[in-house]
Amino acid sequence: MSDPSLGSGAVAELKAAIGLQVDDEGLLTDLAKGLGAVESRLRDVVRSDVRFVHDAALYLVDAGGKRFRPMFTLLASQFGSEGRDDVVTAGAAVELVHLATLHHDDVMDEAVIRRGAPSANARWDNTVAILTGDFLFAHASRLVAGLGSEASRIIAETFGELVTGQMRETVGARDGEDPIDHYLTAIGQKTGSLIATAGRFGAMLSGAPPEQVAALRRFGELIGAAFQISDDIIDIASPSDELGKAQGTDLREGVRTLPMLYALNDDRENARLVELLSAPLSEDALIGEAVELLRDSRGLEHARVTLSGYAQRARSELEALPDSAARAACESIADYLVARTH
């Protein structure tokens, strides 16, 4: 077993970052041990005899992060009683997929910072970052292959959803397509699909009943979309010192998030806001002006209503699960995502 402090630290970070409420000491211990084991598996599986490949593959692993996806895999496994080692393997696999997408996202976004350090594309170059992402995808596939053909099929379908969601976001809504529906579909695929698979793997591999596996899959998909909407709201509503990054990142990149899309519909009479949202903004003064207008817009409040709807739908999926500390922990995540935006 790995150093248990790794798992304990990850649980503490999760409790702070996603509002995870766990009062049951037994569940806390299980999550801490499981996350410690996932951490060891991540480092073992990406080892390479080629030093440069080894260093690049470990770059984002060593950078840390919330480890929400493996945590949700472990949490979902609480509804069964089997396959603990398989659950750890699945948790490591979904985290590798997530890390691989971060490498690719940073290249597409031309990002220079990731988790407080230079991104891989900034430290090396785009080619290294892309190939490192591919390397992590390959190792994730190898891990899942050991879990059986059904798990392999699920992860392959998830890859397809992730790529389709990213392509939707990159290309944008087609003529005649509702941009809000397009956005919600894209985040469901790009963010929700992998979290859905994390919950599905944890429940399925632990032997939970099929109806509970399905409920945790749907909860994960909804909560993944809710995470993205919540982040979109906070990017506008929270001061930079609370965000820990520059405010209005999406405005700088010309990305129209849900509050912006709603504002374009709900605040059309605000000609200045519509003008500012029509193109990427590079000047700090213009970004600040747009943020202030968005904070007072009906669009921001509309986004909060949509977020509450996603959280309520996610919570309703949990009704299929037995009353337990694990179910309460899942409920607390849904509640926190709404609370953090106010």
Side-chain angles (χ1 to χ4, degrees), residues 79 199-200 203-204 207-219 316-322:
F79 298 96
R200 187 179 185 183
M204 179 182 79
E211 63 274 14
Q212 294 180 17
V213 175
L216 285 158
R217 174 189 182 184
R218 291 191 297 267
F219 173 83
S316 70
E317 294 294 346
L318 301 175
E319 293 173 4
L321 305 176

PDB file of all heavy atoms in Angstrom, residues 79 199-200 203-204 207-219 316-322:
ATOM      1  N   PHE A  79     -21.151   1.145  -3.154  1.00  0.00           N
ATOM      2  CA  PHE A  79     -22.470   0.540  -3.296  1.00  0.00           C
ATOM      3  C   PHE A  79     -22.391  -0.928  -3.706  1.00  0.00           C
ATOM      4  O   PHE A  79     -23.401  -1.581  -3.934  1.00  0.00           O
ATOM      5  CB  PHE A  79     -23.309   1.353  -4.288  1.00  0.00           C
ATOM      6  CG  PHE A  79     -23.534   2.755  -3.811  1.00  0.00           C
ATOM      7  CD1 PHE A  79     -22.714   3.791  -4.234  1.00  0.00           C
ATOM      8  CD2 PHE A  79     -24.537   3.030  -2.892  1.00  0.00           C
ATOM      9  CE1 PHE A  79     -22.895   5.089  -3.760  1.00  0.00           C
ATOM     10  CE2 PHE A  79     -24.722   4.322  -2.413  1.00  0.00           C
ATOM     11  CZ  PHE A  79     -23.904   5.351  -2.851  1.00  0.00           C
ATOM     12  N   GLY A 199     -18.072   6.974 -12.346  1.00  0.00           N
ATOM     13  CA  GLY A 199     -19.100   6.416 -11.473  1.00  0.00           C
ATOM     14  C   GLY A 199     -19.568   5.044 -11.939  1.00  0.00           C
ATOM     15  O   GLY A 199     -19.792   4.143 -11.126  1.00  0.00           O
ATOM     16  N   ARG A 200     -19.700   4.896 -13.230  1.00  0.00           N
ATOM     17  CA  ARG A 200     -20.144   3.607 -13.796  1.00  0.00           C
ATOM     18  C   ARG A 200     -19.134   2.515 -13.488  1.00  0.00           C
ATOM     19  O   ARG A 200     -19.508   1.412 -13.066  1.00  0.00           O
ATOM     20  CB  ARG A 200     -20.318   3.766 -15.307  1.00  0.00           C
ATOM     21  CG  ARG A 200     -20.920   2.570 -16.013  1.00  0.00           C
ATOM     22  CD  ARG A 200     -21.060   2.887 -17.497  1.00  0.00           C
ATOM     23  NE  ARG A 200     -21.739   1.830 -18.232  1.00  0.00           N
ATOM     24  CZ  ARG A 200     -21.935   1.848 -19.544  1.00  0.00           C
ATOM     25  NH1 ARG A 200     -21.513   2.891 -20.259  1.00  0.00           N
ATOM     26  NH2 ARG A 200     -22.550   0.840 -20.146  1.00  0.00           N
ATOM     27  N   ALA A 203     -19.149   1.544  -9.616  1.00  0.00           N
ATOM     28  CA  ALA A 203     -20.316   0.745  -9.229  1.00  0.00           C
ATOM     29  C   ALA A 203     -20.297  -0.629  -9.896  1.00  0.00           C
ATOM     30  O   ALA A 203     -20.534  -1.655  -9.244  1.00  0.00           O
ATOM     31  CB  ALA A 203     -21.584   1.502  -9.592  1.00  0.00           C
ATOM     32  N   MET A 204     -19.998  -0.664 -11.185  1.00  0.00           N
ATOM     33  CA  MET A 204     -20.028  -1.917 -11.949  1.00  0.00           C
ATOM     34  C   MET A 204     -18.982  -2.906 -11.442  1.00  0.00           C
ATOM     35  O   MET A 204     -19.271  -4.096 -11.226  1.00  0.00           O
ATOM     36  CB  MET A 204     -19.784  -1.603 -13.431  1.00  0.00           C
ATOM     37  CG  MET A 204     -19.765  -2.801 -14.359  1.00  0.00           C
ATOM     38  SD  MET A 204     -19.417  -2.300 -16.077  1.00  0.00           S
ATOM     39  CE  MET A 204     -17.632  -2.074 -16.019  1.00  0.00           C
ATOM     40  N   GLY A 207     -19.666  -4.655  -8.151  1.00  0.00           N
ATOM     41  CA  GLY A 207     -20.805  -5.566  -8.097  1.00  0.00           C
ATOM     42  C   GLY A 207     -22.100  -4.937  -7.641  1.00  0.00           C
ATOM     43  O   GLY A 207     -23.007  -5.642  -7.182  1.00  0.00           O
ATOM     44  N   ALA A 208     -22.243  -3.611  -7.769  1.00  0.00           N
ATOM     45  CA  ALA A 208     -23.496  -2.947  -7.402  1.00  0.00           C
ATOM     46  C   ALA A 208     -24.595  -3.375  -8.374  1.00  0.00           C
ATOM     47  O   ALA A 208     -24.320  -3.723  -9.526  1.00  0.00           O
ATOM     48  CB  ALA A 208     -23.315  -1.432  -7.436  1.00  0.00           C
ATOM     49  N   PRO A 209     -25.859  -3.348  -7.939  1.00  0.00           N
ATOM     50  CA  PRO A 209     -26.972  -3.720  -8.825  1.00  0.00           C
ATOM     51  C   PRO A 209     -27.027  -2.816 -10.052  1.00  0.00           C
ATOM     52  O   PRO A 209     -26.651  -1.638  -9.984  1.00  0.00           O
ATOM     53  CB  PRO A 209     -28.212  -3.517  -7.937  1.00  0.00           C
ATOM     54  CG  PRO A 209     -27.713  -3.595  -6.542  1.00  0.00           C
ATOM     55  CD  PRO A 209     -26.318  -3.035  -6.573  1.00  0.00           C
ATOM     56  N   PRO A 210     -27.507  -3.349 -11.186  1.00  0.00           N
ATOM     57  CA  PRO A 210     -27.519  -2.572 -12.441  1.00  0.00           C
ATOM     58  C   PRO A 210     -28.228  -1.226 -12.335  1.00  0.00           C
ATOM     59  O   PRO A 210     -27.775  -0.239 -12.920  1.00  0.00           O
ATOM     60  CB  PRO A 210     -28.247  -3.504 -13.421  1.00  0.00           C
ATOM     61  CG  PRO A 210     -27.988  -4.876 -12.895  1.00  0.00           C
ATOM     62  CD  PRO A 210     -27.960  -4.741 -11.402  1.00  0.00           C
ATOM     63  N   GLU A 211     -29.335  -1.165 -11.581  1.00  0.00           N
ATOM     64  CA  GLU A 211     -30.053   0.106 -11.482  1.00  0.00           C
ATOM     65  C   GLU A 211     -29.231   1.151 -10.735  1.00  0.00           C
ATOM     66  O   GLU A 211     -29.330   2.356 -11.009  1.00  0.00           O
ATOM     67  CB  GLU A 211     -31.409  -0.074 -10.798  1.00  0.00           C
ATOM     68  CG  GLU A 211     -31.370  -0.541  -9.359  1.00  0.00           C
ATOM     69  CD  GLU A 211     -31.302  -2.062  -9.197  1.00  0.00           C
ATOM     70  OE1 GLU A 211     -31.023  -2.758 -10.203  1.00  0.00           O
ATOM     71  OE2 GLU A 211     -31.550  -2.528  -8.068  1.00  0.00           O
ATOM     72  N   GLN A 212     -28.375   0.716  -9.811  1.00  0.00           N
ATOM     73  CA  GLN A 212     -27.515   1.647  -9.098  1.00  0.00           C
ATOM     74  C   GLN A 212     -26.335   2.079  -9.973  1.00  0.00           C
ATOM     75  O   GLN A 212     -25.900   3.235  -9.911  1.00  0.00           O
ATOM     76  CB  GLN A 212     -27.031   1.025  -7.786  1.00  0.00           C
ATOM     77  CG  GLN A 212     -28.168   0.785  -6.794  1.00  0.00           C
ATOM     78  CD  GLN A 212     -27.701   0.162  -5.493  1.00  0.00           C
ATOM     79  OE1 GLN A 212     -26.511   0.173  -5.178  1.00  0.00           O
ATOM     80  NE2 GLN A 212     -28.632  -0.401  -4.732  1.00  0.00           N
ATOM     81  N   VAL A 213     -25.840   1.156 -10.791  1.00  0.00           N
ATOM     82  CA  VAL A 213     -24.786   1.503 -11.749  1.00  0.00           C
ATOM     83  C   VAL A 213     -25.295   2.592 -12.689  1.00  0.00           C
ATOM     84  O   VAL A 213     -24.621   3.601 -12.941  1.00  0.00           O
ATOM     85  CB  VAL A 213     -24.348   0.270 -12.558  1.00  0.00           C
ATOM     86  CG1 VAL A 213     -23.341   0.674 -13.635  1.00  0.00           C
ATOM     87  CG2 VAL A 213     -23.742  -0.804 -11.644  1.00  0.00           C
ATOM     88  N   ALA A 214     -26.516   2.399 -13.195  1.00  0.00           N
ATOM     89  CA  ALA A 214     -27.106   3.366 -14.126  1.00  0.00           C
ATOM     90  C   ALA A 214     -27.321   4.715 -13.452  1.00  0.00           C
ATOM     91  O   ALA A 214     -27.086   5.780 -14.045  1.00  0.00           O
ATOM     92  CB  ALA A 214     -28.424   2.825 -14.680  1.00  0.00           C
ATOM     93  N   ALA A 215     -27.776   4.692 -12.197  1.00  0.00           N
ATOM     94  CA  ALA A 215     -28.022   5.947 -11.472  1.00  0.00           C
ATOM     95  C   ALA A 215     -26.731   6.720 -11.260  1.00  0.00           C
ATOM     96  O   ALA A 215     -26.688   7.951 -11.434  1.00  0.00           O
ATOM     97  CB  ALA A 215     -28.694   5.648 -10.129  1.00  0.00           C
ATOM     98  N   LEU A 216     -25.653   6.029 -10.907  1.00  0.00           N
ATOM     99  CA  LEU A 216     -24.374   6.700 -10.673  1.00  0.00           C
ATOM    100  C   LEU A 216     -23.764   7.211 -11.974  1.00  0.00           C
ATOM    101  O   LEU A 216     -23.114   8.260 -11.993  1.00  0.00           O
ATOM    102  CB  LEU A 216     -23.416   5.757  -9.945  1.00  0.00           C
ATOM    103  CG  LEU A 216     -23.761   5.584  -8.461  1.00  0.00           C
ATOM    104  CD1 LEU A 216     -23.176   4.295  -7.913  1.00  0.00           C
ATOM    105  CD2 LEU A 216     -23.266   6.783  -7.649  1.00  0.00           C
ATOM    106  N   ARG A 217     -24.008   6.499 -13.041  1.00  0.00           N
ATOM    107  CA  ARG A 217     -23.566   6.987 -14.350  1.00  0.00           C
ATOM    108  C   ARG A 217     -24.283   8.295 -14.690  1.00  0.00           C
ATOM    109  O   ARG A 217     -23.648   9.273 -15.089  1.00  0.00           O
ATOM    110  CB  ARG A 217     -23.851   5.934 -15.420  1.00  0.00           C
ATOM    111  CG  ARG A 217     -23.554   6.387 -16.842  1.00  0.00           C
ATOM    112  CD  ARG A 217     -24.077   5.380 -17.851  1.00  0.00           C
ATOM    113  NE  ARG A 217     -23.765   5.778 -19.209  1.00  0.00           N
ATOM    114  CZ  ARG A 217     -24.171   5.123 -20.299  1.00  0.00           C
ATOM    115  NH1 ARG A 217     -24.901   4.027 -20.155  1.00  0.00           N
ATOM    116  NH2 ARG A 217     -23.864   5.547 -21.500  1.00  0.00           N
ATOM    117  N   ARG A 218     -25.599   8.324 -14.536  1.00  0.00           N
ATOM    118  CA  ARG A 218     -26.358   9.535 -14.855  1.00  0.00           C
ATOM    119  C   ARG A 218     -26.000  10.676 -13.908  1.00  0.00           C
ATOM    120  O   ARG A 218     -25.894  11.836 -14.321  1.00  0.00           O
ATOM    121  CB  ARG A 218     -27.856   9.243 -14.807  1.00  0.00           C
ATOM    122  CG  ARG A 218     -28.343   8.322 -15.937  1.00  0.00           C
ATOM    123  CD  ARG A 218     -29.854   8.275 -16.002  1.00  0.00           C
ATOM    124  NE  ARG A 218     -30.440   7.703 -14.791  1.00  0.00           N
ATOM    125  CZ  ARG A 218     -30.745   6.411 -14.638  1.00  0.00           C
ATOM    126  NH1 ARG A 218     -30.482   5.540 -15.616  1.00  0.00           N
ATOM    127  NH2 ARG A 218     -31.292   5.975 -13.518  1.00  0.00           N
ATOM    128  N   PHE A 219     -25.815  10.366 -12.625  1.00  0.00           N
ATOM    129  CA  PHE A 219     -25.389  11.385 -11.665  1.00  0.00           C
ATOM    130  C   PHE A 219     -24.065  11.994 -12.107  1.00  0.00           C
ATOM    131  O   PHE A 219     -23.891  13.230 -12.084  1.00  0.00           O
ATOM    132  CB  PHE A 219     -25.250  10.769 -10.272  1.00  0.00           C
ATOM    133  CG  PHE A 219     -24.659  11.701  -9.246  1.00  0.00           C
ATOM    134  CD1 PHE A 219     -25.446  12.630  -8.589  1.00  0.00           C
ATOM    135  CD2 PHE A 219     -23.305  11.654  -8.936  1.00  0.00           C
ATOM    136  CE1 PHE A 219     -24.901  13.504  -7.648  1.00  0.00           C
ATOM    137  CE2 PHE A 219     -22.753  12.520  -7.993  1.00  0.00           C
ATOM    138  CZ  PHE A 219     -23.555  13.442  -7.352  1.00  0.00           C
ATOM    139  N   SER A 316     -31.669  13.856  -7.743  1.00  0.00           N
ATOM    140  CA  SER A 316     -32.796  12.933  -7.909  1.00  0.00           C
ATOM    141  C   SER A 316     -32.341  11.555  -8.370  1.00  0.00           C
ATOM    142  O   SER A 316     -32.977  10.546  -8.048  1.00  0.00           O
ATOM    143  CB  SER A 316     -33.821  13.508  -8.891  1.00  0.00           C
ATOM    144  OG  SER A 316     -33.318  13.517 -10.220  1.00  0.00           O
ATOM    145  N   GLU A 317     -31.222  11.494  -9.113  1.00  0.00           N
ATOM    146  CA  GLU A 317     -30.693  10.192  -9.541  1.00  0.00           C
ATOM    147  C   GLU A 317     -30.244   9.363  -8.343  1.00  0.00           C
ATOM    148  O   GLU A 317     -30.269   8.124  -8.387  1.00  0.00           O
ATOM    149  CB  GLU A 317     -29.525  10.382 -10.505  1.00  0.00           C
ATOM    150  CG  GLU A 317     -29.892  11.001 -11.843  1.00  0.00           C
ATOM    151  CD  GLU A 317     -30.782  10.110 -12.690  1.00  0.00           C
ATOM    152  OE1 GLU A 317     -30.910   8.900 -12.382  1.00  0.00           O
ATOM    153  OE2 GLU A 317     -31.352  10.621 -13.664  1.00  0.00           O
ATOM    154  N   LEU A 318     -29.855  10.016  -7.270  1.00  0.00           N
ATOM    155  CA  LEU A 318     -29.363   9.314  -6.080  1.00  0.00           C
ATOM    156  C   LEU A 318     -30.480   8.631  -5.294  1.00  0.00           C
ATOM    157  O   LEU A 318     -30.209   7.840  -4.393  1.00  0.00           O
ATOM    158  CB  LEU A 318     -28.601  10.285  -5.176  1.00  0.00           C
ATOM    159  CG  LEU A 318     -27.385  10.973  -5.812  1.00  0.00           C
ATOM    160  CD1 LEU A 318     -26.786  11.993  -4.856  1.00  0.00           C
ATOM    161  CD2 LEU A 318     -26.335   9.944  -6.238  1.00  0.00           C
ATOM    162  N   GLU A 319     -31.725   8.928  -5.633  1.00  0.00           N
ATOM    163  CA  GLU A 319     -32.840   8.293  -4.935  1.00  0.00           C
ATOM    164  C   GLU A 319     -32.873   6.791  -5.171  1.00  0.00           C
ATOM    165  O   GLU A 319     -33.476   6.046  -4.386  1.00  0.00           O
ATOM    166  CB  GLU A 319     -34.160   8.929  -5.372  1.00  0.00           C
ATOM    167  CG  GLU A 319     -34.298  10.385  -4.932  1.00  0.00           C
ATOM    168  CD  GLU A 319     -35.534  11.067  -5.504  1.00  0.00           C
ATOM    169  OE1 GLU A 319     -36.336  10.367  -6.186  1.00  0.00           O
ATOM    170  OE2 GLU A 319     -35.712  12.275  -5.274  1.00  0.00           O
ATOM    171  N   ALA A 320     -32.214   6.338  -6.243  1.00  0.00           N
ATOM    172  CA  ALA A 320     -32.155   4.901  -6.517  1.00  0.00           C
ATOM    173  C   ALA A 320     -31.150   4.180  -5.626  1.00  0.00           C
ATOM    174  O   ALA A 320     -31.090   2.945  -5.627  1.00  0.00           O
ATOM    175  CB  ALA A 320     -31.777   4.669  -7.985  1.00  0.00           C
ATOM    176  N   LEU A 321     -30.356   4.942  -4.856  1.00  0.00           N
ATOM    177  CA  LEU A 321     -29.305   4.350  -4.025  1.00  0.00           C
ATOM    178  C   LEU A 321     -29.773   4.215  -2.584  1.00  0.00           C
ATOM    179  O   LEU A 321     -30.607   4.997  -2.111  1.00  0.00           O
ATOM    180  CB  LEU A 321     -28.059   5.240  -4.066  1.00  0.00           C
ATOM    181  CG  LEU A 321     -27.498   5.568  -5.449  1.00  0.00           C
ATOM    182  CD1 LEU A 321     -26.335   6.542  -5.324  1.00  0.00           C
ATOM    183  CD2 LEU A 321     -27.075   4.310  -6.180  1.00  0.00           C
ATOM    184  N   PRO A 322     -29.245   3.236  -1.867  1.00  0.00           N
ATOM    185  CA  PRO A 322     -29.602   3.098  -0.451  1.00  0.00           C
ATOM    186  C   PRO A 322     -29.084   4.274   0.369  1.00  0.00           C
ATOM    187  O   PRO A 322     -28.050   4.864   0.042  1.00  0.00           O
ATOM    188  CB  PRO A 322     -28.916   1.792  -0.035  1.00  0.00           C
ATOM    189  CG  PRO A 322     -27.804   1.605  -1.013  1.00  0.00           C
ATOM    190  CD  PRO A 322     -28.299   2.188  -2.304  1.00  0.00           C
TER     191      PRO A 322
END
